[in-house]
Amino acid sequence: MKKLTNTPNLTELSYRSIKEQLLVGTLREGARLTEEQLSSQLGISKSPVREALNRLEAEGLICIEARRGAYVREFSPKEVKDLYDFREVLELHSIASAEITPALLSKLADSIDRTKMYLESGDKAKHVEEDLYFHATLASASGNDEFSRVFQNIQQKSLLCRYKTYHLSGGTAPASHGKIYLALCANDRPAAMAAMSEHVRYVKDRLVEALQIDETSHREFAAV
């Protein structure tokens, strides 16, 4: 992590820095988050780090327990299914309520082009960032700030567990986003919604399958 310069709002900067590490996959599920280590890495005192961790816990991105301390949230297969089922509802609302303008379509088209470029170059972090941008752009087109905030939180929780299946589903993003984009260009919202459902469910199914395999492997290992 980069050390932070002395500023009046170190809590906010701590929060952003730790959250960035969570979302790019540097800090993986189950990883411990100690105030001592984080404050040392960031070059600041423990107090703003503690406040940042409390904020991340409130957002559901990390867990804090009395004996275990703070750690990156781990998701069960059921939690992932529930999360993606809810995300699908939000994604469909995005399409249903979005104001489809030439400017929006241009942003989506540019995003798809960048996604292809990042896939070809193998830049996982940039690809994930662009995937977030595509979906967030649609959500913001609803013009509802409260909805966008809820959507962003669900999207970030989805990202925490998606790194396990990035190699299984990451390459499908350009084609899936392309289907949504073309349907919106044709002003065919039902087709765009169907494409979005297919996209979200595909990622969900790959992730749930991977988690179920992990659970089975752990049980078999424990039984040995």
Side-chain angles (χ1 to χ4, degrees):
M1 290 186 186
K2 297 179 182 178
K3 291 189 181 295
L4 302 178
T5 56
N6 191 18
T7 129
N9 198 351
L10 288 176
T11 297
E12 178 66 23
L13 292 177
S14 300
Y15 163 78
R16 292 180 185 177
S17 181
I18 298 169
K19 188 172 187 176
E20 179 183 359
Q21 301 306 311
L22 290 170
L23 297 183
V24 300
T26 304
L27 297 170
R28 298 299 183 92
E29 285 184 276
R32 289 193 63 203
L33 303 169
T34 66
E35 294 175 12
E36 293 80 3
Q37 182 179 21
L38 291 172
S39 62
S40 175
Q41 290 174 340
L42 296 172
I44 59 176
S45 66
K46 291 190 290 185
S47 181
V49 170
R50 185 180 307 116
E51 292 179 28
L53 291 177
N54 287 333
R55 184 172 168 185
L56 290 167
E57 181 191 27
E59 293 182 354
L61 298 178
I62 71 170
C63 297
I64 301 178
E65 297 178 2
R67 295 183 180 180
R68 185 173 176 181
Y71 59 95
V72 182
R73 181 176 174 181
E74 299 173 278
F75 292 85
S76 69
K78 182 183 184 305
E79 287 174 327
V80 168
K81 183 179 181 304
D82 291 345
L83 181 65
Y84 273 85
D85 285 347
F86 185 37
R87 178 173 174 178
E88 182 180 353
V89 172
L90 298 180
E91 296 276 15
L92 296 183
H93 178 76
S94 291
I95 293 175
S97 60
E99 182 182 357
I100 309 301
T101 64
L104 173 64
L105 294 175
S106 178
K107 289 179 181 179
L108 297 179
D110 289 344
S111 177
I112 293 169
D113 288 340
R114 288 192 296 268
T115 299
K116 292 176 181 177
M117 179 180 68
Y118 296 141
L119 273 175
E120 291 171 359
S121 64
D123 193 332
K124 179 179 176 180
K126 286 290 186 181
H127 172 264
V128 169
E129 182 180 317
E130 198 59 50
D131 184 70
L132 290 173
Y133 172 81
F134 181 90
H135 292 275
T137 297
L138 267 175
S140 64
S142 69
N144 186 325
D145 292 339
E146 289 299 323
F147 170 74
S148 293
R149 277 191 282 272
V150 172
F151 179 84
Q152 182 185 46
N153 180 252
I154 294 300
Q155 189 180 42
Q156 290 168 350
K157 288 179 183 177
S158 302
L159 185 60
L160 278 184
C161 48
R162 190 183 166 187
Y163 276 95
K164 288 189 174 184
T165 58
Y166 176 85
H167 63 292
L168 298 175
S169 60
T172 65
S176 298
H177 291 181
K179 286 182 181 179
I180 297 164
Y181 166 73
L182 290 175
L184 292 175
C185 285
N187 198 28
D188 189 345
R189 291 182 194 255
M193 294 171 75
M196 180 65 80
S197 287
E198 180 183 11
H199 177 41
V200 175
R201 290 177 186 181
Y202 179 83
V203 175
K204 176 187 70 175
D205 290 345
R206 301 291 78 72
L207 180 52
V208 170
E209 287 172 6
L211 289 173
Q212 288 174 336
I213 290 173
D214 283 349
E215 281 193 346
T216 301
S217 298
H218 290 157
R219 284 198 297 268
E220 291 177 349
F221 179 79
V224 173

PDB file of all heavy atoms in Angstrom, residues 19-31:
ATOM      1  N   LYS A  19     -10.093  -0.076   0.969  1.00  0.00           N
ATOM      2  CA  LYS A  19     -11.172  -0.535   0.096  1.00  0.00           C
ATOM      3  C   LYS A  19     -10.640  -0.860  -1.295  1.00  0.00           C
ATOM      4  O   LYS A  19     -11.048  -1.853  -1.926  1.00  0.00           O
ATOM      5  CB  LYS A  19     -12.257   0.541   0.002  1.00  0.00           C
ATOM      6  CG  LYS A  19     -13.515   0.080  -0.720  1.00  0.00           C
ATOM      7  CD  LYS A  19     -14.604   1.135  -0.587  1.00  0.00           C
ATOM      8  CE  LYS A  19     -15.927   0.667  -1.136  1.00  0.00           C
ATOM      9  NZ  LYS A  19     -17.000   1.659  -0.910  1.00  0.00           N
ATOM     10  N   GLU A  20      -9.715  -0.045  -1.778  1.00  0.00           N
ATOM     11  CA  GLU A  20      -9.119  -0.305  -3.099  1.00  0.00           C
ATOM     12  C   GLU A  20      -8.418  -1.651  -3.110  1.00  0.00           C
ATOM     13  O   GLU A  20      -8.530  -2.413  -4.071  1.00  0.00           O
ATOM     14  CB  GLU A  20      -8.130   0.801  -3.447  1.00  0.00           C
ATOM     15  CG  GLU A  20      -7.452   0.595  -4.797  1.00  0.00           C
ATOM     16  CD  GLU A  20      -6.424   1.663  -5.108  1.00  0.00           C
ATOM     17  OE1 GLU A  20      -6.234   2.586  -4.285  1.00  0.00           O
ATOM     18  OE2 GLU A  20      -5.771   1.570  -6.163  1.00  0.00           O
ATOM     19  N   GLN A  21      -7.688  -1.959  -2.029  1.00  0.00           N
ATOM     20  CA  GLN A  21      -7.001  -3.249  -1.946  1.00  0.00           C
ATOM     21  C   GLN A  21      -7.990  -4.411  -1.921  1.00  0.00           C
ATOM     22  O   GLN A  21      -7.729  -5.483  -2.471  1.00  0.00           O
ATOM     23  CB  GLN A  21      -6.117  -3.292  -0.695  1.00  0.00           C
ATOM     24  CG  GLN A  21      -5.052  -2.219  -0.635  1.00  0.00           C
ATOM     25  CD  GLN A  21      -4.168  -2.201  -1.860  1.00  0.00           C
ATOM     26  OE1 GLN A  21      -3.660  -3.238  -2.273  1.00  0.00           O
ATOM     27  NE2 GLN A  21      -3.994  -1.029  -2.460  1.00  0.00           N
ATOM     28  N   LEU A  22      -9.130  -4.185  -1.294  1.00  0.00           N
ATOM     29  CA  LEU A  22     -10.173  -5.215  -1.267  1.00  0.00           C
ATOM     30  C   LEU A  22     -10.715  -5.466  -2.669  1.00  0.00           C
ATOM     31  O   LEU A  22     -10.872  -6.609  -3.112  1.00  0.00           O
ATOM     32  CB  LEU A  22     -11.324  -4.786  -0.351  1.00  0.00           C
ATOM     33  CG  LEU A  22     -11.064  -4.743   1.155  1.00  0.00           C
ATOM     34  CD1 LEU A  22     -12.232  -4.064   1.866  1.00  0.00           C
ATOM     35  CD2 LEU A  22     -10.866  -6.148   1.695  1.00  0.00           C
ATOM     36  N   LEU A  23     -11.002  -4.380  -3.392  1.00  0.00           N
ATOM     37  CA  LEU A  23     -11.688  -4.494  -4.674  1.00  0.00           C
ATOM     38  C   LEU A  23     -10.784  -4.975  -5.808  1.00  0.00           C
ATOM     39  O   LEU A  23     -11.269  -5.553  -6.774  1.00  0.00           O
ATOM     40  CB  LEU A  23     -12.333  -3.157  -5.045  1.00  0.00           C
ATOM     41  CG  LEU A  23     -13.424  -2.677  -4.078  1.00  0.00           C
ATOM     42  CD1 LEU A  23     -14.043  -1.385  -4.572  1.00  0.00           C
ATOM     43  CD2 LEU A  23     -14.509  -3.735  -3.902  1.00  0.00           C
ATOM     44  N   VAL A  24      -9.479  -4.735  -5.696  1.00  0.00           N
ATOM     45  CA  VAL A  24      -8.579  -5.226  -6.749  1.00  0.00           C
ATOM     46  C   VAL A  24      -8.067  -6.624  -6.432  1.00  0.00           C
ATOM     47  O   VAL A  24      -7.350  -7.228  -7.225  1.00  0.00           O
ATOM     48  CB  VAL A  24      -7.385  -4.270  -6.980  1.00  0.00           C
ATOM     49  CG1 VAL A  24      -7.850  -2.897  -7.394  1.00  0.00           C
ATOM     50  CG2 VAL A  24      -6.483  -4.204  -5.756  1.00  0.00           C
ATOM     51  N   GLY A  25      -8.446  -7.158  -5.261  1.00  0.00           N
ATOM     52  CA  GLY A  25      -8.100  -8.533  -4.939  1.00  0.00           C
ATOM     53  C   GLY A  25      -6.783  -8.708  -4.216  1.00  0.00           C
ATOM     54  O   GLY A  25      -6.344  -9.836  -3.992  1.00  0.00           O
ATOM     55  N   THR A  26      -6.106  -7.607  -3.827  1.00  0.00           N
ATOM     56  CA  THR A  26      -4.854  -7.722  -3.077  1.00  0.00           C
ATOM     57  C   THR A  26      -5.108  -8.354  -1.717  1.00  0.00           C
ATOM     58  O   THR A  26      -4.318  -9.154  -1.222  1.00  0.00           O
ATOM     59  CB  THR A  26      -4.203  -6.336  -2.891  1.00  0.00           C
ATOM     60  OG1 THR A  26      -4.006  -5.742  -4.178  1.00  0.00           O
ATOM     61  CG2 THR A  26      -2.867  -6.450  -2.187  1.00  0.00           C
ATOM     62  N   LEU A  27      -6.230  -7.963  -1.101  1.00  0.00           N
ATOM     63  CA  LEU A  27      -6.658  -8.560   0.160  1.00  0.00           C
ATOM     64  C   LEU A  27      -7.783  -9.542  -0.141  1.00  0.00           C
ATOM     65  O   LEU A  27      -8.871  -9.140  -0.540  1.00  0.00           O
ATOM     66  CB  LEU A  27      -7.145  -7.470   1.123  1.00  0.00           C
ATOM     67  CG  LEU A  27      -6.088  -6.440   1.546  1.00  0.00           C
ATOM     68  CD1 LEU A  27      -6.737  -5.285   2.297  1.00  0.00           C
ATOM     69  CD2 LEU A  27      -5.021  -7.102   2.417  1.00  0.00           C
ATOM     70  N   ARG A  28      -7.529 -10.811   0.010  1.00  0.00           N
ATOM     71  CA  ARG A  28      -8.484 -11.845  -0.368  1.00  0.00           C
ATOM     72  C   ARG A  28      -9.400 -12.227   0.780  1.00  0.00           C
ATOM     73  O   ARG A  28      -9.176 -11.881   1.931  1.00  0.00           O
ATOM     74  CB  ARG A  28      -7.738 -13.080  -0.882  1.00  0.00           C
ATOM     75  CG  ARG A  28      -6.911 -12.823  -2.135  1.00  0.00           C
ATOM     76  CD  ARG A  28      -7.791 -12.364  -3.287  1.00  0.00           C
ATOM     77  NE  ARG A  28      -7.025 -12.181  -4.514  1.00  0.00           N
ATOM     78  CZ  ARG A  28      -6.849 -13.116  -5.433  1.00  0.00           C
ATOM     79  NH1 ARG A  28      -7.360 -14.316  -5.253  1.00  0.00           N
ATOM     80  NH2 ARG A  28      -6.161 -12.852  -6.526  1.00  0.00           N
ATOM     81  N   GLU A  29     -10.440 -12.995   0.454  1.00  0.00           N
ATOM     82  CA  GLU A  29     -11.411 -13.456   1.450  1.00  0.00           C
ATOM     83  C   GLU A  29     -10.706 -14.145   2.612  1.00  0.00           C
ATOM     84  O   GLU A  29      -9.832 -14.983   2.419  1.00  0.00           O
ATOM     85  CB  GLU A  29     -12.386 -14.448   0.812  1.00  0.00           C
ATOM     86  CG  GLU A  29     -13.424 -13.824  -0.089  1.00  0.00           C
ATOM     87  CD  GLU A  29     -14.391 -14.868  -0.594  1.00  0.00           C
ATOM     88  OE1 GLU A  29     -14.079 -15.532  -1.591  1.00  0.00           O
ATOM     89  OE2 GLU A  29     -15.457 -15.025   0.011  1.00  0.00           O
ATOM     90  N   GLY A  30     -11.097 -13.772   3.827  1.00  0.00           N
ATOM     91  CA  GLY A  30     -10.538 -14.392   5.017  1.00  0.00           C
ATOM     92  C   GLY A  30      -9.251 -13.761   5.512  1.00  0.00           C
ATOM     93  O   GLY A  30      -8.794 -14.079   6.615  1.00  0.00           O
ATOM     94  N   ALA A  31      -8.645 -12.878   4.717  1.00  0.00           N
ATOM     95  CA  ALA A  31      -7.376 -12.263   5.118  1.00  0.00           C
ATOM     96  C   ALA A  31      -7.570 -11.393   6.359  1.00  0.00           C
ATOM     97  O   ALA A  31      -8.532 -10.635   6.451  1.00  0.00           O
ATOM     98  CB  ALA A  31      -6.821 -11.416   3.974  1.00  0.00           C
TER      99      ALA A  31
END
